Amino acid sequence: MSALLTMTSHAQAVETGTKVGEARVHLLSEGQQKGKTSILIGATPEMVEKQAPDGTFPNAVNAFLIQFSGKNILVDTGFGKRLFDNLQNLGVVAENIDIVLITHAHGDHIGGMLRDGERAFPNAQVYLSQKEHDYWTSDAVKNTNVRQLVAAYKDQLHLFNPAVIGEPATPLVGGVTAIAAYGHTPGHTMYEVESQGEKLLIWGDLTHAMALQMPYPSVAVTYDVDPAQAVKARLEVLNYVSTNAIPVAGMHIAYPAVGKVVKAGNGYIFIWKS
Ligand SMILES: [Zn+2]
């Protein structure tokens, strides 16, 4: 009597994403695109000629998935166009998202929160900074998309005050600390992942035009609600990550959207993760 042997192929598990200690951070790309220099504020013709001679620069729209301690943590949701396919490719369904961290409430960040007016992430705890919430839902601004989001997620929405950069802080959720970088929007918030002494700062919309805003961080963009404050925040954050050698990921950094910032002269250079 011969035993029937079933051959199983043990395919090598391919680890994707960026390792941060025991956490994994996956890029969820909504697409690569080109930005136009017409959105820049404070860029001289010489800067544009040097960094974007054809009037465009590489850009992207990204969200990220942090997998840590058995939890699926989304940071932003992009437009919600490719988001769900991207998650599916990672073996994650929307019902299995435990936490959504929102950097700010522009449409290219909260676009995936609702599907046909319903919650796309029925089991997620959702985090939005108090300032961001108050600005967009105020009578002066009355943003319909944000009001819909707040209403749909009202029983699972957490409003909070992020930490001040460089100061000791308690994590907002396991392994992730929220840090204020106000200016692009009034409550714009970054999320720093930390595990086993390793860190990654997901800096949201700290930059929109890496080609210009790394060498010239004082260049702002027309999307900034408060351009001067956005510049101040960018200078503080670039100093923080370069001084402390903390890798960063950004929502408008071209593929693979992760790298490190190094001081160079009066500005900075960005070294993409290979
Ligand atoms: Zn954006």
Side-chain angles (χ1 to χ4, degrees), residues 9-268:
S9 74
H10 292 274
Q12 188 76 41
V14 179
E15 289 287 5
T16 57
T18 300
K19 187 177 165 294
V20 184
E22 290 181 337
R24 285 268 164 187
V25 179
H26 302 274
L27 170 65
L28 303 170
S29 170
E30 292 280 296
Q32 307 297 309
Q33 57 195 41
K34 294 214 168 217
K36 292 203 170 103
T37 51
S38 54
I39 69 162
L40 302 174
I41 299 172
T44 64
E46 291 75 23
M47 291 176 191
V48 171
E49 179 56 38
K50 195 169 171 205
Q51 297 300 123
D54 71 349
T56 72
F57 49 82
N59 194 6
V61 175
N62 306 316
F64 295 91
L65 175 71
I66 305 167
Q67 294 189 302
F68 189 32
S69 293
K71 297 249 188 273
N72 289 311
I73 304 170
L74 265 185
V75 185
D76 287 349
T77 62
F79 294 115
K81 285 182 190 159
R82 291 170 57 181
L83 180 80
F84 300 97
D85 287 344
N86 285 335
L87 286 173
Q88 193 174 32
N89 289 339
L90 293 167
V92 177
V93 294
E95 287 74 17
N96 289 345
I97 296 295
D98 301 291
I99 293 165
V100 183
L101 307 174
I102 300 173
T103 62
H104 65 297
H106 278 156
D108 53 330
H109 300 261
I110 61 167
M113 290 300 290
L114 300 177
R115 286 181 113 177
D116 303 324
E118 302 285 328
R119 293 170 303 163
F121 306 104
N123 302 316
Q125 300 303 309
V126 176
Y127 291 80
L128 176 67
S129 83
Q130 182 81 53
K131 270 195 190 326
E132 192 70 3
H133 168 272
D134 293 354
Y135 175 75
W136 294 104
T137 57
S138 66
D139 286 336
V141 178
K142 277 194 190 129
N143 184 287
T144 314
N145 292 338
V146 179
R147 287 187 165 188
Q148 279 176 351
L149 184 161
V150 168
Y153 285 93
K154 65 179 188 306
D155 295 328
Q156 57 209 95
L157 180 66
H158 305 268
L159 304 178
F160 64 93
N161 292 310
V164 175
I165 193 161
E167 294 189 2
T170 311
L172 182 69
V173 298
V176 184
T177 299
I179 301 173
Y182 301 154
H184 172 56
T185 61
H188 179 266
T189 299
M190 311 183 292
Y191 294 98
E192 187 174 73
V193 186
E194 181 170 9
S195 172
Q196 296 184 323
E198 293 180 23
K199 290 183 178 181
L200 176 73
L201 180 68
I202 301 175
W203 75 17
D205 281 20
L206 193 82
T207 64
H208 295 80
M210 292 294 280
L212 277 296
Q213 291 175 311
M214 284 292 104
Y216 314 113
S218 296
V219 171
V221 294
T222 52
Y223 309 139
D224 292 334
V225 173
D226 182 342
Q229 181 60 39
V231 168
K232 188 166 172 280
R234 185 160 41 257
L235 291 169
E236 284 174 0
V237 174
L238 292 174
N239 180 55
Y240 168 75
V241 295
S242 60
T243 304
N244 296 292
I246 298 172
V248 305
M251 276 47 185
H252 299 298
I253 302 179
Y255 184 87
V258 178
K260 62 179 179 180
V261 174
V262 178
K263 183 109 183 88
N266 293 324
Y268 295 86

